[in-house]
C-alpha cells in the first residue's frame, strides 16, 4: 500500500469519489437528467391519463345524448315499451354497468336491468342530482370504479299530455360507465412510461459517464501524474494533446510550462555554479586579505610611531614636517583599511544593552560634525519622543550610523541638508524603531544603487567598499534591516529598522547562564 502524504488524512471511498471533479460532474449530470426527463415523463403521463379519462367521459356523454334522443322520440308517440327495450339494448354494452331512469324522489322508473325497477337508486347517483352535478367518479360494489353521469329529462310540451304540467323534471337519465378498462390502460401506460424513462436515463447516464471518463478524467489523471513527476524534479515529462478543446489547450500550456521550467533550471544551475566559483574565489581572497591585513597592521603601527617621533624633530614651519604629516595621514587611512578588512573577515562578538536610540544619534551626529567636509552642511534632528529602547551593541550601532552620516556628508561636497529622523513603525506585526538618514546630495544612479551593499564595491577614489557592507551585516545581526532609497539629482535616504525590545533582568540572567553552560 502506498504511504500517505505527510499531513494528509486517509479518505474513505465515498469521500474520494465526491472529491473527483469528473465524478461530481457525472453525478450532477445524472441528477439533472433524472429531474428533466422525469418531469417531462410525469407531465406527459398525466396528460395521457387525462386524455383516457376524458375519452371515457366523452363516450358516456355521447351515449347519454343518444339515449335521450331515442327516449324522447319513443315517449312522444307514447311507446313506453320501446323505452324499456332501448335501455336494455344499450345496457348490453360491456363498458356500461347500468342505464336507468329514476324519479326525482330517487325511485327507479326504467332500467336496463328489470330487477332494479321500483328500487331506490344508488346513493352516489342520487347525490349527484342533489348536488346539482352532472358527473362523478365513485366505486360500486362488485363493479369497481365507475363514472356516473346524470341528465335531467325536462317536461316539454309534448310530454304534458301524459305527465301534466306541474313538474319541470319528470325523470333523470342515469348512466354508469365502468372505468376498469380505462384504469387498466392507464396502469399499462404508466409502466411503459416508467420503463422508457428508466431506460433513457440509464442509457444517457452511461453515455455521459463514458464520455467524461474518456475525454476528461483520463487526460486529467495523466496530467496530474505528470505534474507530480515534475514536482519531484523530472522535467523531461511531455504530453501529446489529443484534441483542440480545453483539455488539449491545458496540455499544451503544461508542456510550455515544463519547457520554461527546464530552461530556467538549467540557467539557474549555470548561474549557481558561477556564483559558487565566485564565492570560492572570494573566500580565498578574503582569507588572504585578512592574513595580509594582520601582517601589515603591526608593522604599520610601528612605522606610524617612528614617523611621529621624527616629526617632533622638525619645526612647525619646516616643509619636511608637512610632508611627514601627509605621510601620517596616509598611514591612518591604511590603518582604517586594514581594520575594515579584519572586521569584515572576522567581526567582533556583539555586547548588546538596552540603548536609547535618540541619545545615541545625538552623540554620533556630534562626532560626524567634526568632519572637515561638514562645516557647510545644515544638520536637522527630527526625533520622535518616548521611543522604546533597542537591544543593541552601542559601539557597533555607533559604527553604523557614523558611517551613514559621513557618507551623507561626503555626498554633499557643495553643501546641503542632513536630516536625521526617528519614529516608531509597525512591520510584519512587530514594533520597530526606524531611523532615516536623508541627504540632499546628487543621489545614487539606479545601476549603482543595487550594488552599494556588495563588499569591496565603491565609487570613491580612497574608499575600501566595506563600510556599507559591514553596516548591513551589523544591522542584520541585530535583527534589523538596512535599506536605501535614492532619486538621481534629488538625494538619498538610508533607513535603519531595529526591533523595539529590551529584555528583562530575568531574561538577561537566563541568557548569561545559558552562555556559561555552553562555554
Amino acid at each position: 500500500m502506498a504511504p500517505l502524504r505527510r499531513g494528509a488524512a486517509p479518505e474513505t471511498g465515498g469521500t474520494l469519489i465526491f472529491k473527483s471533479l469528473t465524478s461530481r460532474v457525472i453525478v450532477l449530470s445524472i441528477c439533472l437528467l433524472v429531474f428533466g426527463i422525469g418531469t417531462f415523463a410525469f407531465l406527459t403521463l398525466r396528460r395521457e391519463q387525462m386524455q383516457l379519462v376524458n375519452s371515457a367521459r366523452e363516450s358516456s356523454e355521447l351515449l347519454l345524448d343518444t339515449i335521450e334522443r331515442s327516449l324522447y322520440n319513443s315517449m312522444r308517440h307514447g311507446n313506453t315499451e320501446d323505452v324499456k327495450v332501448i335501455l336494455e339494448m344499450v345496457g348490453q354494452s360491456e363498458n356500461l354497468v347500468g342505464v336507468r331512469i329514476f324519479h326525482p324522489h330517487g325511485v327507479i322508473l326504467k332500467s336496463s336491468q328489470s330487477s332494479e325497477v321500483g328500487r331506490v337508486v344508488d346513493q352516489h347517483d342520487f347525490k349527484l342530482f342533489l348536488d346539482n352535478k352532472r358527473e362523478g367518479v365513485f366505486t360500486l360494489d362488485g363493479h369497481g370504479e365507475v363514472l356516473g353521469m346524470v341528465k335531467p329529462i325536462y317536461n316539454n310540451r309534448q310530454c304534458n299530455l301524459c305527465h301534466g304540467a306541474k313538474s319541470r323534471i319528470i325523470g333523470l337519465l342515469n348512466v354508469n360507465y365502468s372505468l376498469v378498462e380505462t384504469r387498466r390502460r392507464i396502469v399499462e401506460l404508466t409502466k411503459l412510461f416508467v420503463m422508457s424513462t428508466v431506460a433513457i436515463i440509464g442509457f444517457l447516464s452511461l453515455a455521459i459517464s463514458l464520455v467524461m471518463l474518456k475525454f476528461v478524467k483520463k487526460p486529467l489523471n495523466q496530467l496530474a501524474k505528470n505534474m507530480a513527476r515534475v514536482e519531484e524534479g523530472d522535467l523531461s515529462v511531455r504530453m501529446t494533446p489529443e484534441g483542440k478543446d480545453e483539455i488539449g489547450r491545458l496540455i499544451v500550456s503544461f508542456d510550455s510550462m515544463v519547457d520554461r521550467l527546464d530552461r530556467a533550471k538549467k540557467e539557474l544551475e549555470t548561474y549557481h555554479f558561477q556564483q559558487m566559483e565566485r564565492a570560492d574565489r572570494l573566500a580565498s581572497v578574503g582569507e588572504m586579505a585578512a592574513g595580509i591585513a594582520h601582517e601589515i597592521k603591526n608593522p604599520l603601527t610601528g612605522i606610524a610611531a617612528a614617523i611621529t617621533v621624527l616629526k617632533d624633530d622638525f619645526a612647525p614651519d619646516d616643509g619636511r614636517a608637512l610632508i611627514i604629516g601627509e605621510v601620517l595621514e596616509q598611514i591612518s587611512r591604511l590603518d582604517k583599511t586594514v581594520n575594515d578588512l579584519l572586521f569584515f573577515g572576522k567581526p567582533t562578538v556583539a555586547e548588546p544593552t538596552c540603548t536609547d536610540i535618540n541619545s545615541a544619534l545625538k552623540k554620533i551626529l556630534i562626532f560626524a560634525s567634526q568632519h572637515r567636509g561638514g562645516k557647510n552642511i545644515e544638520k536637522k534632528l527630527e526625533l520622535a519622543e518616548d521611543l522604546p529602547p533597542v537591544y543593541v551593541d552601542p559601539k557597533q550601532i555607533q559604527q553604523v550610523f557614523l558611517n551613514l552620516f559621513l557618507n551623507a556628508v561626503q555626498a554633499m561636497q557643495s553643501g546641503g541638508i542632513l536630516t536625521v529622523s526617528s519614529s516608531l513603525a509597525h512591520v510584519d506585526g512587530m514594533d520597530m524603531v526606524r531611523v532615516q538618514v536623508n541627504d540632499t546630495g546628487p543621489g545614487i544612479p539606479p545601476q549603482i544603487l543595487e550594488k552599494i551593499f556588495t563588499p569591496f564595491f565603491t565609487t570613491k577614489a580612497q574608499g575600501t567598499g566595506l563600510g556599507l557592507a559591514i553596516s548591513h551585516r551589523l544591522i542584520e545581526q541585530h535583527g534589523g534591516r538596512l535599506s536605501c532609497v535614492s532619486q538621481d539629482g534629488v538625494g538619498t535616504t538610508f533607513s535603519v529598522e531595529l526591533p523595539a525590545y529590551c529584555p528583562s533582568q530575568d531574561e538577561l540572567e537566563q541568557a548569561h547562564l545559558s552562555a556559561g553552560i555552553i562555554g
Side-chain angles (χ1 to χ4, degrees), residues 282-297 337-346 456 466:
L282 286 177
S284 301
V285 171
E287 290 178 0
M288 183 179 64
I292 293 174
H294 185 74
E295 294 297 325
I296 291 175
K297 184 173 178 62
T337 301
V338 169
N339 287 330
D340 285 346
L341 281 172
L342 288 175
F343 184 86
F344 186 77
K346 188 177 181 181
F456 306 107
L466 290 174

Side-chain angles (χ1 to χ4, degrees), residues 31-275:
C31 291
L32 292 175
L33 277 176
V34 171
F35 177 77
I37 298 177
T39 302
F40 174 76
F42 175 76
L43 295 176
T44 304
L45 180 61
R46 287 295 302 272
R47 187 187 64 180
E48 294 296 327
Q49 291 174 349
M50 293 300 297
Q51 286 182 352
L52 288 174
V53 174
N54 290 334
S55 176
R57 182 181 293 107
E58 291 173 358
S59 299
S60 299
E61 289 181 350
L62 179 61
L63 183 60
L64 204 60
D65 291 339
T66 304
I67 295 173
E68 183 183 21
R69 293 192 188 95
S70 300
L71 292 178
Y72 268 116
N73 186 49
S74 299
M75 294 177 68
R76 185 177 57 183
H77 297 91
N79 297 327
T80 57
E81 290 298 326
D82 291 345
V83 173
K84 180 181 178 182
V85 173
I86 292 172
L87 294 179
E88 290 178 352
M89 182 178 63
V90 173
Q92 294 177 359
S93 173
E94 60 181 5
N95 290 328
L96 288 179
V97 175
V99 182
R100 63 187 64 83
I101 299 173
F102 63 88
H103 194 270
H105 293 160
V107 180
I108 298 176
L109 302 177
K110 302 287 185 181
S111 174
S112 59
Q113 301 175 9
S114 57
S115 59
E116 289 185 346
V117 177
R119 295 181 181 179
V120 177
V121 73
D122 187 82
Q123 59 179 353
H124 298 95
D125 293 318
F126 191 61
K127 194 172 185 302
L128 292 176
F129 165 65
L130 295 178
D131 294 341
N132 198 24
K133 292 182 178 179
R134 182 176 176 84
E135 62 184 45
V137 178
F138 47 85
T139 302
L140 287 179
D141 295 337
H143 299 288
E145 194 174 21
V146 298
L147 172 64
M149 303 191 71
V150 176
K151 188 172 185 180
I153 301 175
Y154 294 101
N155 191 5
N156 295 331
R157 269 189 259 176
Q158 295 87 346
C159 302
N160 290 341
L161 296 174
C162 299
H163 299 281
K166 291 182 179 181
S167 300
R168 182 170 174 266
I169 298 176
I170 59 176
L172 292 106
L173 180 60
N174 173 224
V175 174
N176 292 134
Y177 189 90
S178 177
L179 295 178
V180 174
E181 180 65 21
T182 302
R183 294 303 179 192
R184 187 186 63 79
R185 294 175 60 188
I186 289 175
V187 171
E188 291 179 354
L189 184 64
T190 302
K191 291 181 179 179
L192 178 62
F193 264 91
V194 170
M195 293 175 62
S196 301
T197 302
V198 171
I200 292 173
I201 292 175
F203 173 76
L204 292 179
S205 300
L206 180 61
I208 291 175
S209 301
L210 292 176
V211 169
M212 291 295 296
L213 292 175
K214 179 175 178 59
F215 296 104
V216 178
K217 187 172 184 178
K218 183 179 178 181
L220 285 180
N221 284 343
Q222 187 64 33
L223 185 62
K225 291 179 181 178
N226 290 335
M227 289 183 71
R229 291 175 58 187
V230 172
E231 186 179 359
E232 293 173 357
D234 184 6
L235 297 180
S236 62
V237 178
R238 295 296 183 274
M239 297 183 67
T240 303
E242 297 181 358
K244 297 182 179 180
D245 54 4
E246 290 82 356
I247 301 294
R249 293 198 295 270
L250 182 61
I251 292 175
V252 171
S253 299
F254 171 79
D255 288 344
S256 176
M257 178 193 69
V258 175
D259 285 336
R260 293 183 180 181
L261 284 175
D262 194 18
R263 290 196 299 268
K265 181 182 178 182
K266 292 178 180 177
E267 293 175 359
L268 186 60
E269 288 175 349
T270 302
Y271 178 75
H272 180 67
F273 180 73
Q274 294 174 352
Q275 289 296 105

Side-chain angles (χ1 to χ4, degrees), residues 261-367:
L261 284 175
D262 194 18
R263 290 196 299 268
K265 181 182 178 182
K266 292 178 180 177
E267 293 175 359
L268 186 60
E269 288 175 349
T270 302
Y271 178 75
H272 180 67
F273 180 73
Q274 294 174 352
Q275 289 296 105
M276 291 296 292
E277 287 186 330
R278 182 173 180 269
D280 186 61
R281 289 196 300 268
L282 286 177
S284 301
V285 171
E287 290 178 0
M288 183 179 64
I292 293 174
H294 185 74
E295 294 297 325
I296 291 175
K297 184 173 178 62
N298 292 333
L300 197 63
T301 303
I303 292 172
I307 292 180
T308 302
V309 172
L310 290 176
K311 183 180 178 182
D312 293 338
D313 294 338
F314 298 105
D317 55 350
D318 193 335
R320 289 174 291 180
L322 296 176
I323 295 174
I324 292 177
E326 183 66 26
V327 171
L328 286 174
E329 185 176 347
Q330 295 300 323
I331 290 175
S332 176
R333 188 173 70 84
L334 285 174
D335 185 65
K336 181 180 182 302
T337 301
V338 169
N339 287 330
D340 285 346
L341 281 172
L342 288 175
F343 184 86
F344 186 77
K346 188 177 181 181
T348 59
V349 179
E351 298 179 357
T353 59
C354 293
T355 304
D356 182 0
I357 198 67
N358 285 343
S359 300
L361 290 174
K362 293 176 183 178
K363 294 178 182 179
I364 299 169
L365 189 59
I366 293 175
F367 295 150

Side-chain angles (χ1 to χ4, degrees), residues 480-501:
R481 185 177 65 177
L482 173 61
S483 59
C484 178
V485 176
S486 182
Q487 189 173 355
D488 198 8
V490 177
T492 302
T493 300
F494 281 88
S495 296
V496 177
E497 294 176 350
L498 295 168
Y501 166 72

